[in-house]
Amino acid sequence: MEIPIFTVDAFTNVPFKGNPAAICLIENELQDDLYQSIAAEMNLSQTAFITKRNSMDFSSGARFGLRWFSPKCEVPLCGHATLASAAVLFYLKKNVNPVVTFETMSGELHVRQHEESLIMDFPLNKPQPQDQHEMKDLLKAVVGDLPIQDVCYCPTTWNLMIRLADTCDRPEAEALLKNDSTGKIKGICVTIKGAPNALPGYDFYSRYFAPWYGVLEDPVCGSAHTVLAGYWSEKLNKKKMLAYQCSSRGGELELELRDDGRLNISGRAQIILQGTLKI
């Protein structure tokens, strides 16, 4: 079996920045263990698998199946690998449709082109305030003694969000695993307010850690921004925001809360590698 495979840097217009995802074009569904083995082999935060629907090809079809796998397990929602998947369809396969629809574990996700960006129609996941004292050991492992302004949790994405009053150093991922006593956390967002009056005008900054998925730090996490957007929109009283995830690679996301309760996430992508996976 030969599978077309691509590496795409998402949420950036510069190669080797943003978040790299491996994208595989699948003619027919594979066994789950094979999906997982391929993702482990690629060893990126996410490997995405696009499958055809209704016998259409990747250039003319408007609807596709999409699954995401970390090196450790399948995940229910992934932003950067969805952006990267759409980039392969639009930029390489020259898909003729104005919008492509992905059937996923999180429902239908739509992606369209707008100038040099791709705009994803995603769910909006608003987090709920949490009692800091109930998870003090975990918070200590993440941010040390830095002052914490808010702690929120999103049960839909299993993400814990920590808003700091100041910047923080990178936590040790192994410490996060040891100090999660709830069993309900799959990722941690650390965020601070930006300075929108200073160029380039980011409304907030973040970092994202998901050792539970086998990803120590995710360079740019689109799904985490479904939570961050819900939080910061209320705090800043804004529906349109510009966000920056300040990992070592870094990435920029444009966010817009829609009147129908969903979220548009916009970003750019660079395809840096294409080849054939032989199994």
Side-chain angles (χ1 to χ4, degrees):
M1 183 190 305
E2 294 188 348
I3 297 174
I5 189 167
F6 311 88
T7 300
V8 184
D9 290 341
F11 295 119
T12 181
N13 61 349
V14 180
F16 314 123
K17 295 292 186 179
N19 199 352
I23 309 300
C24 297
L25 300 181
I26 305 296
E27 295 288 337
N28 299 294
E29 290 284 356
L30 308 176
Q31 295 293 324
D32 282 358
D33 59 348
L34 185 52
Y35 286 121
Q36 191 60 69
S37 294
I38 293 172
E41 180 76 11
M42 295 303 101
N43 200 31
L44 296 173
S45 60
Q46 300 295 332
T47 297
F49 300 88
I50 309 173
T51 54
K52 295 190 299 185
R53 290 289 187 265
N54 301 325
S55 299
M56 301 293 286
D57 62 32
F58 294 107
S59 299
S60 60
R63 181 175 292 271
F64 303 92
L66 182 63
R67 297 176 70 177
W68 312 279
F69 286 78
S70 77
K72 190 174 181 179
C73 61
E74 186 170 11
V75 299
L77 182 65
C78 178
H80 84 279
T82 302
L83 190 78
S85 297
V88 169
L89 294 178
F90 282 128
Y91 301 158
L92 282 184
K93 292 300 178 179
K94 307 298 182 185
N95 192 283
V96 298
N97 296 285
V99 179
V100 294
T101 299
F102 295 115
E103 299 172 1
T104 78
M105 291 176 64
S106 294
E108 292 187 352
L109 304 177
H110 311 284
V111 187
R112 59 185 172 90
Q113 297 186 77
H114 178 69
E115 297 176 350
E116 295 182 353
S117 296
L118 296 168
I119 301 178
M120 303 186 295
D121 171 4
F122 262 47
L124 179 65
N125 298 304
K126 293 186 178 181
Q128 304 166 357
Q130 300 293 300
D131 184 352
Q132 297 183 29
H133 297 291
E134 293 181 356
M135 52 187 70
K136 60 181 181 179
D137 291 338
L138 179 61
L139 297 178
K140 176 78 172 179
V142 180
V143 302
D145 295 323
L146 292 174
I148 296 173
Q149 184 159 333
D150 279 326
V151 176
C152 299
Y153 176 69
C154 177
T156 306
T157 63
W158 291 34
N159 280 333
L160 186 71
M161 191 212 75
I162 304 168
R163 178 184 174 184
L164 297 178
D166 205 343
T167 57
C168 71
D169 294 325
R170 172 175 174 159
E172 291 295 331
E174 291 78 6
L176 306 189
L177 290 169
K178 291 178 182 177
N179 286 282
D180 172 28
S181 59
T182 68
K184 296 180 179 180
I185 295 173
K186 295 297 183 183
I188 294 181
C189 315
V190 180
T191 185
I192 59 172
K193 183 179 178 180
N197 294 326
L199 295 177
Y202 294 118
D203 291 288
F204 64 90
Y205 297 88
S206 68
R207 294 177 75 175
Y208 183 72
F209 305 91
W212 298 270
Y213 284 131
V215 181
L216 296 183
E217 180 174 6
D218 200 15
V220 192
C221 184
S223 62
H225 281 79
T226 68
V227 180
L228 292 164
Y231 174 84
W232 282 112
S233 175
E234 291 185 357
K235 296 299 180 182
L236 301 176
N237 194 27
K238 298 179 72 173
K239 287 192 171 183
K240 291 185 178 181
M241 294 170 288
L242 185 63
Y244 187 77
Q245 190 158 331
C246 47
S247 64
S248 60
R249 293 177 64 101
E252 184 178 281
L253 308 89
E254 296 179 49
L255 308 169
E256 181 177 4
L257 279 73
R258 300 180 352 198
D259 292 336
D260 63 359
R262 290 180 66 83
L263 175 69
N264 283 345
I265 303 177
S266 304
R268 299 183 182 184
Q270 293 286 307
I271 300 171
I272 64 166
L273 183 148
Q274 54 183 316
T276 303
L277 184 65
K278 296 184 178 181
I279 299 175

